[in-house]
Amino acid sequence: MMMTMIGSNKAFLMSTTAAATATAMNTFELFNSKPNVIEKKLNRASVSYDAPKRKLPVLLFDVMDTIVRDPFYQDIPAFFGMPMKELLECKHPTAWIEFEKGLIDEDELARKFFIDGREFDLEGLKDCIRSGYSYLDGMQELLQALRDDNFEIHAFTNYPIWYEMIEDKLKLSAYLSWTFCSCNTGKRKPDPEFYLEVVEHLGVEPCECVFIDDRPSNVKCAVEIGMRGLCFENADSLLKDLSQLGVNVSLPNI
């Protein structure tokens, strides 16, 4: 009887030791295996979640005379009391471009604006320009509809730091991001490098972008690097053009 009990206890101890050893080996294997082994073991009990997909295409909007009325052609000549032809002859040929690219500030612009160096009321000019900003007919409603449909929208514009005046007055950031402004990048459309920087920053293929601009030369460059381009005329025609590209939004009474 005693021998039987000793034999049973010995067998029990051996089985317990074996189980403990197996457990230790499994634990060692889990934490010392190659990464792919660990991944397979952990994935058996894990639940995977799909990351939200980015809605495409990404929409890239010019701002002046595409979303917002540009005061340059009427208001600024009136401020200086001269026709546009005379203004173009009097102003410095590159000062505004340098200002748009962020190469000079507004004080330097004031010093260089006219070829002959004449002084003028810079703050008065800014007030004149600010008062001339307004949404083009139907564009605020179209941007709202695109935003409500969760499209990703960016400004892609040639404009100086005065874009902040547009934002202060019209609050475009309710609908888009001021991501690509020439004054912050040092490049202007239609420089192809500007377009390629946009695509790289966004992390998308050019064909996954729709670019909207009122200047055919800017649209042409977008198409040449692989974007889909639309030449803006008005909100109604843009709505139809976007629909042909599969960007469908509901916009009653536009």
mmCIF file of all heavy atoms in Angstrom, residues 15 41 97 99 104 113 171 207 223 239:
data_model
loop_
_atom_site.group_PDB
_atom_site.id
_atom_site.type_symbol
_atom_site.label_atom_id
_atom_site.label_comp_id
_atom_site.label_asym_id
_atom_site.label_seq_id
_atom_site.Cartn_x
_atom_site.Cartn_y
_atom_site.Cartn_z
ATOM 1 N N SER A 15 4.424 14.915 -13.285
ATOM 2 C CA SER A 15 3.494 15.572 -14.214
ATOM 3 C C SER A 15 3.390 17.060 -13.926
ATOM 4 O O SER A 15 3.275 17.877 -14.826
ATOM 5 C CB SER A 15 2.102 14.913 -14.114
ATOM 6 O OG SER A 15 1.550 15.110 -12.831
ATOM 7 N N LYS A 41 1.167 34.969 -32.734
ATOM 8 C CA LYS A 41 0.543 34.525 -31.491
ATOM 9 C C LYS A 41 -0.434 35.563 -30.962
ATOM 10 O O LYS A 41 -1.527 35.241 -30.523
ATOM 11 C CB LYS A 41 1.625 34.233 -30.436
ATOM 12 C CG LYS A 41 2.468 32.994 -30.755
ATOM 13 C CD LYS A 41 3.530 32.794 -29.712
ATOM 14 C CE LYS A 41 4.360 31.546 -30.025
ATOM 15 N NZ LYS A 41 3.581 30.316 -29.881
ATOM 16 N N ILE A 97 5.334 90.804 -57.391
ATOM 17 C CA ILE A 97 5.686 89.384 -57.466
ATOM 18 C C ILE A 97 6.587 89.008 -56.288
ATOM 19 O O ILE A 97 6.415 87.957 -55.659
ATOM 20 C CB ILE A 97 6.378 89.072 -58.808
ATOM 21 C CG1 ILE A 97 5.380 89.210 -59.953
ATOM 22 C CG2 ILE A 97 6.976 87.662 -58.800
ATOM 23 C CD1 ILE A 97 6.006 89.070 -61.333
ATOM 24 N N PHE A 99 6.628 90.449 -53.441
ATOM 25 C CA PHE A 99 5.766 90.471 -52.252
ATOM 26 C C PHE A 99 4.947 89.186 -52.165
ATOM 27 O O PHE A 99 4.800 88.591 -51.090
ATOM 28 C CB PHE A 99 4.866 91.712 -52.326
ATOM 29 C CG PHE A 99 4.066 91.988 -51.082
ATOM 30 C CD1 PHE A 99 4.590 91.788 -49.817
ATOM 31 C CD2 PHE A 99 2.768 92.479 -51.184
ATOM 32 C CE1 PHE A 99 3.849 92.065 -48.671
ATOM 33 C CE2 PHE A 99 2.020 92.766 -50.053
ATOM 34 C CZ PHE A 99 2.559 92.542 -48.794
ATOM 35 N N ILE A 104 9.888 90.146 -49.978
ATOM 36 C CA ILE A 104 9.920 91.466 -49.353
ATOM 37 C C ILE A 104 8.679 91.623 -48.485
ATOM 38 O O ILE A 104 7.663 90.962 -48.705
ATOM 39 C CB ILE A 104 9.983 92.599 -50.403
ATOM 40 C CG1 ILE A 104 8.747 92.570 -51.306
ATOM 41 C CG2 ILE A 104 11.255 92.507 -51.236
ATOM 42 C CD1 ILE A 104 8.665 93.764 -52.280
ATOM 43 N N PHE A 113 6.967 100.137 -54.844
ATOM 44 C CA PHE A 113 5.757 99.951 -55.640
ATOM 45 C C PHE A 113 5.800 100.741 -56.946
ATOM 46 O O PHE A 113 5.485 100.218 -58.020
ATOM 47 C CB PHE A 113 4.521 100.320 -54.834
ATOM 48 C CG PHE A 113 3.233 99.904 -55.484
ATOM 49 C CD1 PHE A 113 2.745 98.617 -55.313
ATOM 50 C CD2 PHE A 113 2.516 100.799 -56.278
ATOM 51 C CE1 PHE A 113 1.556 98.225 -55.929
ATOM 52 C CE2 PHE A 113 1.330 100.411 -56.883
ATOM 53 C CZ PHE A 113 0.849 99.123 -56.714
ATOM 54 N N LYS A 171 -13.420 84.667 -43.509
ATOM 55 C CA LYS A 171 -13.336 83.399 -42.755
ATOM 56 C C LYS A 171 -13.336 82.172 -43.678
ATOM 57 O O LYS A 171 -14.084 81.222 -43.479
ATOM 58 C CB LYS A 171 -14.495 83.308 -41.757
ATOM 59 C CG LYS A 171 -14.579 84.482 -40.782
ATOM 60 C CD LYS A 171 -13.373 84.534 -39.862
ATOM 61 C CE LYS A 171 -13.502 85.597 -38.776
ATOM 62 N NZ LYS A 171 -13.426 86.978 -39.284
ATOM 63 N N CYS A 207 -2.972 62.546 -59.874
ATOM 64 C CA CYS A 207 -4.299 62.258 -60.416
ATOM 65 C C CYS A 207 -5.376 62.225 -59.340
ATOM 66 O O CYS A 207 -6.573 62.192 -59.656
ATOM 67 C CB CYS A 207 -4.276 60.940 -61.191
ATOM 68 S SG CYS A 207 -3.888 59.501 -60.176
ATOM 69 N N VAL A 223 -2.465 70.137 -65.198
ATOM 70 C CA VAL A 223 -2.755 68.977 -66.047
ATOM 71 C C VAL A 223 -1.456 68.324 -66.513
ATOM 72 O O VAL A 223 -1.342 67.091 -66.561
ATOM 73 C CB VAL A 223 -3.629 69.394 -67.240
ATOM 74 C CG1 VAL A 223 -3.775 68.251 -68.232
ATOM 75 C CG2 VAL A 223 -5.001 69.866 -66.752
ATOM 76 N N LEU A 239 -19.810 73.669 -60.564
ATOM 77 C CA LEU A 239 -20.607 72.570 -60.016
ATOM 78 C C LEU A 239 -20.800 71.470 -61.055
ATOM 79 O O LEU A 239 -20.660 70.277 -60.753
ATOM 80 C CB LEU A 239 -21.949 73.109 -59.536
ATOM 81 C CG LEU A 239 -22.878 72.131 -58.809
ATOM 82 C CD1 LEU A 239 -22.257 71.692 -57.491
ATOM 83 C CD2 LEU A 239 -24.234 72.774 -58.562
#
